Amino acid sequence: GEEVAQTPKHLVRGEGQKAKLYCAPIKGHSYVFWYQQVLKNEFKFLISFQNENVFDETGMPKERFSAKCLPNSPCSLEIQATKLEDSAVYFCASSQFGGVEQPQHFGDGTRLSIL
Amino acid sequence: TQLLEQSPQFLSIQEGENLTVYCNSSSVFSSLQWYRQEPGEGPVLLVTVVTGGEVKKLKRLTFQFGDARKDSSLHITAAQPGDTGLYLCAGRLNKFYFGSGTKLNVKP
């Protein structure tokens, strides 16, 4: 598609439950990025992929968070045993190439609310 | 602490006024991007600057990358209500680091 598509738009989970978010990058884009935006507007980088390979995972919490980008499937970000502090908007972005000038095209985000 | 500090955090001005938003760091970036984000949506790229001292113009918006590639500014001339939104700078090292944003409100 011509846009980054994130689903669902809003996800509500009880503390301790699992949450799974999906992202379909723009067709032909090789790089996918996941970010977490919390209340103070701060964007925190989580992980990036080059095709199905993890490119940079230095922002991923070591426990509970995992992500995949498999061929012919939307990318996914999964949080096990969610905590209240996981409440945030999770954005996915894609870019065609990895160069320094490459624009990132963002989806509209998934708002995760942990109750 | 944020790698990129943006100022001001909030700005409320009248239509027709000029404004400048700053993005500062002690780190040297290979590139810097400016985005605008509206409520309920993802950020949309406005510009990418790569070369120290580079100036780019996009209609009433002027972007400058510092000579040392550690800072950047966004200047808006004759602001309009349609400019209202959250402005984010993002500097690239090994990955992108975002500033904390400047919330701009332009009143008609």
Side-chain angles (χ1 to χ4, degrees):
Chain A
E2 292 298 315
E3 291 180 343
V4 175
Q6 288 189 248
T7 55
K9 274 191 90 66
H10 195 179
L11 186 59
V12 181
R13 287 287 179 266
E15 200 174 3
Q17 291 186 316
K18 183 174 72 175
K20 196 164 185 179
L21 291 59
Y22 296 92
C23 167
I26 292 173
K27 198 173 177 183
H29 281 198
S30 303
Y31 289 82
V32 171
F33 307 83
W34 284 98
Y35 293 91
Q36 180 194 55
Q37 187 178 33
V38 293
L39 282 175
K40 286 190 175 179
N41 298 318
E42 179 187 339
F43 267 79
K44 183 192 167 194
F45 169 81
L46 294 174
I47 190 170
S48 61
F49 288 85
Q50 182 181 6
N51 297 310
E52 61 265 28
N53 303 308
V54 174
F55 188 71
D56 183 339
E57 59 181 346
T58 52
M60 281 288 264
K62 294 296 177 194
E63 300 168 353
R64 306 191 300 109
F65 281 64
S66 62
K68 290 180 192 174
C69 275
L70 299 175
N72 304 312
S73 296
C75 295
S76 63
L77 176 69
E78 190 166 2
I79 309 173
Q80 303 285 344
T82 53
K83 298 183 178 181
L84 295 175
E85 69 217 40
D86 298 331
S87 294
V89 182
Y90 291 83
F91 284 97
C92 172
S94 71
S95 68
Q96 192 172 12
F97 304 113
V100 296
E101 284 200 64
Q102 283 296 301
Q104 295 179 85
H105 300 266
F106 282 81
D108 286 340
T110 292
R111 181 175 293 278
L112 177 63
S113 300
I114 306 300
L115 306 179
Chain B
T1 50
Q2 286 282 136
L3 196 64
L4 274 166
E5 295 290 338
Q6 268 188 253
S7 62
Q9 272 190 293
F10 302 97
L11 197 50
S12 184
I13 59 172
Q14 290 295 138
E15 183 175 1
E17 290 183 12
N18 301 333
L19 67 116
T20 303
V21 177
Y22 299 93
C23 180
N24 295 301
S25 178
S26 56
S27 297
V28 177
F29 295 100
S30 53
S31 67
L32 195 136
Q33 297 182 334
W34 283 93
Y35 291 83
R36 187 169 83 202
Q37 185 183 18
E38 301 199 24
E41 298 181 8
V44 175
L45 181 70
L46 297 173
V47 79
T48 302
V49 284
V50 178
T51 308
E54 185 175 1
V55 176
K56 280 192 174 176
K57 289 195 175 189
L58 187 68
K59 295 183 184 176
R60 294 175 293 100
L61 277 59
T62 303
F63 304 86
Q64 185 157 13
F65 202 11
D67 291 340
R69 289 185 287 127
K70 292 182 180 181
D71 52 79
S72 182
S73 63
L74 156 60
H75 182 79
I76 302 179
T77 305
Q80 297 177 1
D83 297 327
T84 292
L86 177 70
Y87 289 81
L88 293 155
C89 63
R92 182 159 185 169
L93 295 175
N94 51 340
K95 56 182 179 248
F96 278 102
Y97 292 86
F98 278 79
S100 52
T102 295
K103 256 191 186 166
L104 172 64
N105 179 35
V106 183
K107 295 175 280 190

